[in-house]
């Protein structure tokens, strides 16, 4: 069994590595095929042709596409993402810094969502007909319909009209709330449903009959059973963090990967574009691996099937 | 609840469809001296007593501070069903600004209504494309099995774990930055279809491959039905699932469109879409002095909420036993021979 788990894990990691590699190389090729390149802005600004020629030579733009792609792929394999033309810096540290910002935001939002959604879900799931549970569910359904973009703008508006609390660009509070609250609502709904189903399951009914105290029944027995369906959506949730954080970063001025990507695309900085996609792929793959590992840990069947 | 939601969606859909008639003005029409003009209030009474609904003309008193006051000297009656619009005022009393004006003095109300067209249109076409692609590939994979099944499943799994947002931006960037709205429309809905089909395909495949072993399918095969005919027999089992997916894909893609336009990779400023409109209300100063520019966010919220209510909240997320639930929705008898009826997320 342990061997199986190890093989399963290794296969997943290998698949993730291949995915990251192929995605960033594809991004490189696509961005290369796009009209314009790193020197387009210089051309439009009337920079001296000789300087542009030197720049093209330095960035290796004169070589055939195949050579450039091969060169870049070899670089990615060695974790060397090349040089950003726009920032005149290696792409690696640049992407790492911004990626860390996005990861921090995502992690905080995930933490908030879990800390808020799971206990509330267990609470509402175990007493679905109380007025508190109804209120929570109304609140959840509202938050669920707030995409991160709308949530971010709404919270900013609230902050502005209350008197500008915490609306500074580097403050993590609003971005975290904007990204985390809809997710918390989703987890709450799901946990609530799972808890309800778990409490109705035959084994839990048997536990009731044996005289297990209700609180223990809800927070220990039912909670453990409901863990599986809830952990199952964490993969989906992590994907949602990524797409949501783009809009949130723009609305709140959070200096994350999305903004870097925007700058890169706008200035035709191909290696930076590919680097951002690389970073996005890495974070998503790591997130999915963690979610899968948790699921395999909770549910032995996952290990067997895969 | 569901009926209210359906009514809201229907109303907004009609509004989008009949935009040129419902919107008071063309979305790109600029009114002089109306930059950041606030929404007009609709009055029904003044000093003389009650009247039919009317508004007052706005007068700019401070160009720098953008201060507007109502000109109480004469009432401007609202005209129903005249001048070729649902609601309008006479030309010399123009403009009529229900939702205020943006930075250039364009009517936000008209822009919102025309924006619904683009935003909902992209989401609708994208969802249809994803559904078509997902249903066909999923059904083919589930019915025929074998190598095709492996290929489709592998591709679907691959697309599902891609950093889709970033790839969509890269793909968008392969076209010049400024392109016409119709090209953006086609590009965006195409990209959405390509990004969203795997979920659909996986669900359809799961349903069809369990359906394939049932008696009617076996009988069809024994009677000599070819693969195409077999798919035609099996696909109806997935209708319930497809219906729910359709209702859920639209809000998801609507949000995707808004986010992309908001960020600057969607429809550009002149052409109104909800995300693009939000971009104008984004700055803190605009929020403070012209909060009506956030109305597109409210519209977005309303539509997403209504569509999610129609789909029913249990289906909003997609836990594993999706297929069981989908089959329950499809109103077909589940496996008659095992006395067990799947229920809830734990029924495997």
């Amino acid at each position: 069994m342990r061997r199986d788990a190890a093989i399963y894990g290794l296969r997943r990691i290998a698949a993730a590595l291949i995915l990251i590699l192929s995605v960033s190389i594809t991004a490189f090729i696509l961005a290369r095929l796009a009209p314009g390149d790193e020197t387009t802005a210089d051309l439009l600004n009337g920079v001296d042709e000789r300087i542009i020629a030197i720049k093209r030579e330095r960035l290796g733009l004169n070589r055939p596409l195949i050579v450039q792609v091969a060169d870049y792929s070899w670089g990615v394999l060695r974790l060397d993402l090349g040089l950003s033309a726009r920032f005149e810096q290696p792409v690696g540290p640049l992407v790492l810094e911004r990626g860390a910002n996005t990861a921090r935001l995502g992690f905080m939002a995930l933490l908030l969502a879990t800390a808020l959604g799971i206990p509330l879900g267990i609470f509402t799931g175990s007493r679905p007909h109380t007025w508190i549970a109804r209120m929570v569910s109304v609140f959840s359904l509202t938050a669920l319909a707030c995409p991160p973009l709308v949530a971010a703008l709404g919270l900013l508006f609230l902050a502005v009209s209350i008197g500008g609390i915490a609306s500074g660009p580097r403050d993590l509070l609003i971005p975290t709330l904007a990204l985390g609250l809809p997710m918390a609502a989703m987890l709450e709904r799901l946990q609530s449903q799972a808890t309800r189903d778990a409490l109705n399951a035959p084994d839990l009914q048997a536990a009731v009959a044996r005289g297990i105290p209700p609180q223990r029944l809800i927070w220990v027995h039912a909670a453990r059973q409901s863990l599986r369906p809830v952990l199952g959506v964490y993969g989906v949730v992590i994907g949602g963090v990524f797409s949501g954080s783009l809009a949130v970063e723009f609305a709140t001025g959070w200096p994350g990967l999305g903004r870097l990507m925007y700058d890169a695309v706008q200035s035709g900085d191909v290696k930076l574009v590919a680097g951002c996609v690389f970073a996005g792929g890495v974070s998503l793959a790591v997130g999915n691996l963690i979610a899968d590992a948790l699921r395999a840990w909770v549910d032995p069947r996952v290990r067997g099937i895969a | 609840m569901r009926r209210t939601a359906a009514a809201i969606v229907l109303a907004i859909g009609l509004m989008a469809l009949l935009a040129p008639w419902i919107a008071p003005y063309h979305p790109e029409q600029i009114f002089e001296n109306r930059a950041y003009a606030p929404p007009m209030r609709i009055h029904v009474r003044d000093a003389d007593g009650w009247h039919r609904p009317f508004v007052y003309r706005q007068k700019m008193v401070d160009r720098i501070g953008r201060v507007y006051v109502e000109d109480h000297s004469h009432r401007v009656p609202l005209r129903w069903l005249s001048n070729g619009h649902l609601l309008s005022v006479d030309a010399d009393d123009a403009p009529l600004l229900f939702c205020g004006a943006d930075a250039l003095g364009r009517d936000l109300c008209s822009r919102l209504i025309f924006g619904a067209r683009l935003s909902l249109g992209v989401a609708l076409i994208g969802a249809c494309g994803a559904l078509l692609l997902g249903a066909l590939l999923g059904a083919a994979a589930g019915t025929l099995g074998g190598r095709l099944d492996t290929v489709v499943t592998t591709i679907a799994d691959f697309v599902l774990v891609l950093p889709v947002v970033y790839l969509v931006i890269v793909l968008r960037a392969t076209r010049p930055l400024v392109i016409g709205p119709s090209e953006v429309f086609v590009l965006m809905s195409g990209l959405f279809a390509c990004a969203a089909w795997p979920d659909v395909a996986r669900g359809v495949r799961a349903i069809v491959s369990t359906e394939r072993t049932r008696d009617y399918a076996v009988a069809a095969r024994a009677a000599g039905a070819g693969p195409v005919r077999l798919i035609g027999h099996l696909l109806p089992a997935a209708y319930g699932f497809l219906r729910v997916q359709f209702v859920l894909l639209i809000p998801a893609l609507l949000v995707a469109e808004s986010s992309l336009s908001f960020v600057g990779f969607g429809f550009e400023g002149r052409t109104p879409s909800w995300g693009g409109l939000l971009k104008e209300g984004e700055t803190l100063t605009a929020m403070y002095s012209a909060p009506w520019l956030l109305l597109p966010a409210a519209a977005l919220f309303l539509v997403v909420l209504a569509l999610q209510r129609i789909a029913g909240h249990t289906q909003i997320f997609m836990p594993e036993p999706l297929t069981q639930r989908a089959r329950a929705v499809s109103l077909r008898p589940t496996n008659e021979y095992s006395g067990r009826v799947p229920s809830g997320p734990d029924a495997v």
Side-chain angles (χ1 to χ4, degrees):
Chain A
M1 203 63 221
R2 177 148 295 204
R3 231 181 100 88
D4 284 354
I7 290 173
Y8 170 61
L10 282 177
R11 266 182 52 193
R12 293 304 311 263
I13 291 172
L17 286 178
I18 293 172
L19 178 89
I20 293 166
L21 193 68
S22 52
V23 163
S24 37
I25 292 169
T26 312
F28 180 82
I29 298 171
L30 283 174
R32 209 12 113 222
L33 292 177
D37 59 24
E38 287 87 340
T39 56
T40 309
D42 291 338
L43 260 177
L44 292 175
N45 289 337
V47 175
D48 194 336
E49 267 176 43
R50 276 167 303 173
I51 296 175
I52 291 179
I54 292 169
K55 195 173 176 184
R56 290 184 68 87
E57 186 61 41
R58 188 163 53 85
L59 293 169
L61 296 180
N62 295 328
R63 294 176 303 163
L65 182 65
I66 299 279
V67 179
Q68 288 187 44
V69 171
D71 198 39
Y72 184 75
S73 315
W74 178 233
V76 172
L77 280 174
R78 288 174 298 143
L79 287 181
D80 172 17
L81 298 179
L83 201 72
S84 155
R86 181 167 180 324
F87 294 95
E88 305 276 342
Q89 281 177 31
V91 169
L94 212 61
V95 162
L96 197 67
E97 188 203 332
R98 298 298 199 91
N101 278 341
T102 294
R104 204 157 97 226
L105 172 60
F107 179 74
M108 292 299 286
L110 216 56
L111 206 66
L112 174 83
T114 310
L116 206 64
I118 301 290
L120 268 180
I122 294 179
F123 178 83
T124 54
S126 54
R127 357 175 147 47
H129 300 299
T130 54
W131 64 272
I132 299 187
R134 291 226 173 100
M135 267 185 48
V136 171
S137 80
V138 166
F139 193 78
S140 282
L141 292 178
T142 315
L144 207 55
C146 278
L149 171 65
V150 172
L153 290 174
L155 287 168
L156 278 176
F157 179 63
L158 213 65
V160 166
S161 42
I162 289 173
I165 339 160
S167 55
R170 289 195 71 87
D171 204 317
L172 198 52
L173 180 69
I174 287 188
T176 305
L177 283 177
L179 199 53
L181 280 182
M183 247 173 356
M186 169 168 159
L187 288 179
E188 190 272 325
R189 287 288 82 203
L190 192 62
Q191 178 69 52
S192 178
Q193 177 73 35
T195 305
R196 254 199 319 264
D197 289 336
L199 285 174
N200 288 330
D203 51 335
L204 267 273
Q205 294 293 320
V208 175
R210 275 207 310 279
I212 307 272
Q215 289 306 314
R216 192 176 156 71
L217 197 74
I218 293 165
W219 294 94
V220 179
H221 293 235
R224 191 179 297 163
Q225 275 213 6
S226 60
L227 216 54
R228 196 178 61 81
V230 173
L231 278 179
V233 292
Y234 263 86
V236 180
V237 167
I238 289 168
V241 168
F242 253 86
S243 44
S245 90
L246 180 75
V248 170
E249 279 169 21
F250 271 83
T252 60
W254 182 254
L257 208 54
R259 294 188 67 90
L260 187 66
M261 176 102 185
Y262 180 80
D263 284 344
V265 168
Q266 290 289 347
S267 57
D269 191 342
V270 173
K271 286 199 173 152
L272 194 55
V273 170
C276 288
V277 173
F278 176 82
V282 170
S283 337
L284 205 57
V286 168
N288 274 321
L289 280 178
I290 293 174
D292 281 346
L294 280 176
R295 212 149 55 107
W297 175 57
V298 172
D299 186 359
R301 274 174 300 179
V302 175
R303 281 174 260 165
I305 293 164
Chain B
M1 192 66 193
R2 250 171 117 154
R3 220 173 263 182
T4 323
I8 290 173
V9 170
L10 200 69
I12 293 181
L14 270 179
M15 195 182 83
L17 213 61
L18 302 175
W21 181 65
I22 291 179
Y25 301 103
H26 188 270
E28 288 168 27
Q29 187 175 350
I30 294 174
F31 296 101
E32 248 178 274
N33 294 332
R34 285 292 183 279
Y36 290 119
M40 279 180 167
R41 285 176 53 193
I42 299 169
H43 301 266
V44 281
R45 72 171 290 173
D46 62 0
D48 305 337
W50 296 91
H51 304 277
R52 291 163 55 136
F54 65 94
V55 294
Y56 289 117
R57 289 186 63 161
Q58 288 176 323
K59 216 163 66 182
M60 184 188 254
V61 289
D62 178 2
R63 186 178 291 276
I64 307 294
R66 289 166 185 140
V67 181
Y68 294 86
V69 291
E70 288 187 325
D71 174 9
H72 289 272
S73 61
H74 85 286
R75 296 192 303 270
V76 177
L78 294 178
R79 303 244 184 268
W80 290 88
L81 301 174
S82 64
N83 309 326
H85 291 280
L86 176 66
L87 202 58
S88 60
V89 293
D90 295 334
D92 45 332
D93 289 324
L96 174 65
L97 304 170
F98 282 124
C99 304
D102 66 4
L104 296 179
R106 292 173 294 197
D107 175 27
L108 188 63
C109 184
S110 306
R111 289 178 71 73
L112 254 177
I113 293 172
F114 274 93
R117 248 184 175 190
L118 280 186
S119 294
L120 290 175
V122 166
L124 201 70
I125 307 262
C128 287
L131 230 49
L132 200 69
L133 211 60
L136 284 183
L137 286 175
T143 313
L144 305 176
R147 194 167 291 162
L148 182 75
D149 189 19
T150 323
V151 170
V152 169
T153 317
T154 311
I155 295 177
D157 285 345
F158 184 76
V159 176
L160 274 176
V161 289
L162 286 179
V164 176
V165 205
Y166 295 109
L167 283 183
V168 167
I169 292 179
V170 173
L171 285 171
R172 168 66 185 82
T174 55
R175 306 288 312 135
L177 279 173
V178 181
I179 53 181
S182 50
E183 201 181 338
V184 178
F185 192 96
V186 173
L187 193 68
M188 267 226 225
S189 33
L191 285 179
F192 288 164
C194 292
W197 70 266
D199 268 327
V200 182
R202 288 222 298 196
V204 170
R205 180 190 163 274
I207 293 169
V208 166
S209 57
T210 51
E211 206 73 8
R212 189 170 61 137
T213 55
R214 294 185 49 190
D215 291 346
Y216 76 89
V218 176
R221 231 172 328 160
V228 175
R229 173 159 270 218
L230 204 57
I231 290 177
H233 280 309
L234 294 179
L235 203 53
Y239 277 171
F241 168 76
L242 287 174
R243 207 161 49 217
V244 171
Q245 281 292 299
F246 183 62
V247 179
L248 285 178
L249 266 176
I250 292 177
L253 296 184
L254 195 62
V255 170
E257 183 280 320
S258 308
S259 300
L260 277 180
S261 294
F262 178 75
V263 166
F265 288 114
F267 296 100
E268 49 93 39
R270 217 153 51 92
T271 327
S273 79
W274 285 354
L277 288 176
L278 273 177
K279 207 172 166 182
E280 293 161 21
E282 170 212 22
T283 57
L284 295 182
T285 38
M287 272 186 201
Y288 187 71
S289 59
W292 52 89
L293 291 180
L294 290 179
L295 274 172
L300 204 58
F301 169 75
L302 195 69
V303 175
V304 173
L305 184 72
L307 284 168
Q308 284 183 348
R309 290 304 76 222
I310 291 175
H313 70 259
T314 40
Q315 275 104 1
I316 290 175
F317 358 88
M318 289 168 238
E320 307 128 90
L322 184 88
T323 44
Q324 272 91 359
R325 211 172 269 148
R327 286 188 49 160
V329 172
S330 73
L331 296 178
R332 289 176 149 266
T334 43
N335 197 345
E336 305 91 346
Y337 302 112
S338 81
R340 205 171 152 221
V341 180
S343 68
D346 267 333
V348 177

